[in-house]
Amino acid sequence: MLHGAGRCINRSLGCLLVNLTLFAAMAARSDAAPARWRRPFLAWLDGIEKGWAIPLLIVGFAAIWLLFLVIAYLSGDLHPDVLETWSVGRSFAWGNAKHPPLMGWVAHVWTLVFPLTDWSFQLMAMTNAAVALWAVDLIARRFVRGDKRAVVLLLLMLLPAYQFHAQRFNANAVLLAIWPLATYCFLRSFETRQIKWAAAAGALAAIAMLGKYYSVFLVGSFVFAAVCHSQRRLFFGSWAPWVSALVGLVVLAPHIYWLATTGATPFEYAMAAHGGRWFWLSIQEASMFLLGIAAIWSLPALSWVLIAESRLKRFSADFRAMNSGLWLLFLVCAGTIGFPPIVAVVFGTDMASLWAMQGLFLIGILIVCGASYPLERFYTVNLAVLVIGMALVAVTVAAPVHAIYRNAHGYEERRNFYRLVALELTRRWHQVSTSPLPAVSGDDSLAFATAFYSPDHPRYRRPFALQYQWGWAAMCFSDEEVCSAWIRNVRATAPNAIRFDFDVAGSLWGQPGVSAKIAAVMVPPGDGKAH
């Protein structure tokens, strides 16, 4: 039986080698005499080192996936994470109760230029993704030229990070651009040991920490890479690491002071939400973290296998021959992937692979830039066609199907109703008060949605902070028992509270959608007019 299995394996490997040989012959013939439909792609590849091809690729990617987001979410409003991001950024602060402040700052600055609309925030998400890809190219071009720069980006465009993950602009997504920018500056600092790059690396590492504390793994990976690299004596013998540390502390100082004077509430939230796991559950979380990264990279990895063909056998030799810069990036990559599961086990926390998305660009750079062999344009064009084809199918087929399906079946976050309930609550408020609605509470997603979509743009407040004040409103979905019970308690203890229910129903292109029942309460201000 074992001999039979061995023969089957040998036959499979033989067939694979034959197929790879055939692909290689096809690639050679195509490069020698390309088909007519390939010629525009070849002209585009010729423009990479002329400076226009990579920007065209990145802008085109962002534009087509922006169109996808606009169409796919016609039956739904913005994700609650995005609404929360805008709401916490309305007032400048060095921190907030759940996350560091960077995501709110970015959203606030964006709305100084762009309106409060769904398409505006979808554009912000894809602009962030475009900046992230541009930053990745900054790193890649230090090691490769021409087609390989495009291949790095094309492989990354097969990941869900730069469109689906990016559209939820939150504490995770804001790191998409910051991590590669910080990595680029750290690389330049390590290579040149110049003060300007050291200062930039320290500042951007600190800004990454202001995005999410998960970025401690990036900072730790920088230290790990510098210590393990063969040129560590030169680096630590210069001013560069100490300038980086000083600048980083200066940038972080206001936030550290905020933490010290407010009770470090983000850490309390993090431990309450993600800590307290049993040992074996943490082992499972760590394993799923690594398996999740492998799954995320499966399609780009398969694409690279088809490109590299039998040259994959050079992998070990290419790995040993990596230059100093790529070896530094490999150590950073090893740290960003290896440290989180270790921390999950040691401290008993969960660790979602989604949180690692912003660092997966390092894998693409290492795979492509570390390959010692040139890539046939046959494969580069095929990869570009795959990326473009998937995007076109997503826009023309998947996006409208998604919109229709979600109109009929709803979203897990119930975002079909956000705008509707915000407008209805505002209308009811103005029936009992001449003043704009000042504050909103209740279910977090509905409260953040009302702050965004209501013409009054009330401030979000946590429920129990408002319970005994005048001039506010709150909403819950009627089937959320805890929130609904709180609303009933407010009605029972506040004599001037107005309790009511209402129904909302979505629609798309004239077709009725899902519906929901909302429980609401209003506590008008003292000068409100009662009806």
Side-chain angles (χ1 to χ4, degrees):
M1 182 180 297
L2 291 176
H3 289 299
R7 286 194 297 270
C8 290
I9 293 173
N10 287 334
R11 284 197 297 269
S12 299
L13 291 174
C15 290
L16 177 60
L17 290 174
V18 169
N19 288 333
L20 291 177
T21 302
L22 290 174
F23 286 144
M26 291 172 56
R29 288 196 300 270
S30 177
D31 284 356
R36 180 175 298 178
W37 67 268
R38 289 179 175 270
R39 292 172 187 170
F41 292 95
L42 299 177
W44 166 67
L45 291 172
D46 289 336
I48 290 177
E49 294 307 317
K50 295 177 181 177
W52 61 267
I54 293 298
L56 178 63
L57 173 64
I58 294 174
V59 171
F61 173 84
I64 197 168
W65 282 104
L66 172 61
L67 183 59
F68 169 86
L69 295 178
V70 170
I71 297 173
Y73 293 98
L74 284 172
S75 57
D77 301 310
L78 292 175
H79 191 277
D81 284 0
V82 182
L83 300 173
E84 180 182 12
T85 294
W86 172 77
S87 190
V88 299
R90 295 177 69 179
S91 300
F92 180 83
W94 284 103
N96 66 73
K98 290 174 63 174
H99 295 296
L102 181 63
M103 63 177 188
W105 292 351
V106 173
H108 179 76
V109 171
W110 184 265
T111 55
L112 295 178
V113 179
F114 294 93
L116 285 179
T117 60
D118 289 4
W119 69 260
S120 168
F121 278 72
Q122 290 161 345
L123 176 62
M124 180 180 70
M126 293 313 303
T127 300
N128 180 52
V131 173
L133 292 169
W134 169 78
V136 171
D137 183 62
L138 280 181
I139 301 173
R141 73 174 70 172
R142 296 199 59 77
F143 305 105
V144 292
R145 289 290 181 267
D147 296 10
K148 282 190 174 182
R149 285 174 56 192
V151 171
V152 170
L153 297 183
L154 290 169
L155 289 176
L156 295 183
M157 289 174 180
L158 294 175
L159 297 174
Y162 298 96
Q163 62 293 95
F164 305 113
H165 174 65
Q167 64 105 4
R168 294 186 181 187
F169 191 84
N170 54 19
N172 296 310
V174 74
L175 300 179
L176 276 177
I178 301 300
W179 272 39
L181 285 171
T183 302
Y184 174 73
C185 291
F186 170 67
L187 174 65
R188 297 302 307 274
S189 173
F190 191 89
E191 290 177 337
T192 67
R193 297 177 291 281
Q194 293 179 2
I195 298 301
K196 64 178 181 180
W197 290 116
L204 282 164
I207 290 171
M209 289 293 294
L210 291 173
K212 189 174 183 180
Y213 299 135
Y214 183 90
S215 295
V216 70
F217 295 123
L218 179 68
V219 177
S221 297
F222 288 168
V223 176
F224 170 76
V227 169
C228 294
H229 199 278
S230 60
Q231 297 180 9
R232 56 185 172 273
R233 290 184 182 275
L234 288 174
F235 181 65
F236 285 105
S238 71
W239 284 99
W242 320 115
V243 169
S244 293
L246 177 61
V247 171
L249 286 174
V250 169
V251 173
L252 277 178
H255 180 65
I256 295 173
Y257 177 80
W258 181 89
L259 287 173
T261 55
T262 58
T265 51
F267 287 101
E268 294 178 4
Y269 165 77
M271 292 308 299
H274 305 292
R277 304 299 192 270
W278 293 100
F279 176 76
W280 290 112
L281 183 58
S282 296
I283 291 287
Q284 181 181 347
E285 288 283 347
S287 301
M288 293 304 297
F289 176 86
L290 297 175
L291 289 173
I293 290 176
I296 291 167
W297 249 97
S298 58
L299 180 57
L302 176 60
S303 300
W304 178 252
V305 168
L306 295 177
I307 290 172
E309 300 174 322
S310 60
R311 293 171 294 191
L312 285 173
K313 62 187 179 183
R314 303 187 195 178
F315 176 80
S316 58
D318 286 346
F319 180 79
R320 291 192 298 270
M322 278 197 305
N323 64 36
S324 173
L326 285 176
W327 179 246
L328 185 75
L329 294 182
F330 170 77
L331 293 171
V332 173
C333 183
T336 56
I337 293 177
F339 290 157
I342 294 174
V343 169
V345 173
V346 172
F347 292 96
T349 66
D350 59 0
M351 195 65 66
S353 56
L354 181 71
W355 300 343
M357 284 277 199
Q358 65 277 353
L360 298 186
F361 69 92
L362 286 165
I363 299 176
I365 290 175
L366 291 167
I367 288 175
V368 179
C369 300
S372 60
Y373 42 86
L375 303 180
E376 294 82 4
R377 286 195 159 181
F378 172 81
Y379 294 116
T380 306
V381 171
N382 286 355
L383 182 60
V385 170
L386 174 63
V387 171
I388 294 171
M390 290 178 61
L392 291 176
V393 170
V395 170
T396 59
V397 179
V401 168
H402 179 271
I404 294 170
Y405 177 83
R406 288 303 183 184
N407 181 60
H409 297 87
Y411 293 83
E412 181 182 355
E413 310 90 6
R414 302 190 183 186
R415 51 202 279 199
N416 304 70
F417 316 111
Y418 290 170
R419 185 191 306 271
L420 296 173
V421 298
L423 295 177
E424 178 62 18
L425 181 68
T426 305
R427 187 186 69 82
R428 299 269 189 135
W429 175 266
H430 286 289
Q431 289 178 346
V432 299
S433 175
T434 57
S435 304
L437 175 60
V440 64
S441 189
D443 174 84
D444 275 355
S445 62
L446 292 179
F448 288 130
T450 303
F452 186 90
Y453 290 111
S454 169
D456 292 346
H457 299 302
R459 296 281 177 168
Y460 165 80
R461 294 290 185 268
R462 298 182 69 83
F464 294 101
L466 283 174
Q467 191 159 349
Y468 302 104
Q469 297 182 18
W470 295 69
W472 58 276
M475 289 185 294
C476 304
F477 290 102
S478 295
D479 56 2
E480 292 180 349
E481 183 53 37
V482 173
C483 186
S484 297
W486 173 76
I487 282 184
R488 290 194 295 270
N489 179 67
V490 171
R491 178 65 185 89
T493 56
N496 62 324
I498 301 170
R499 168 78 165 83
F500 59 95
D501 296 334
F502 62 91
D503 297 317
V504 287
S507 64
L508 177 67
W509 299 322
Q511 297 299 312
V514 290
S515 60
K517 191 175 187 64
I518 305 297
V521 63
M522 298 187 300
V523 180
D527 60 349
K529 57 179 183 180
H531 286 264

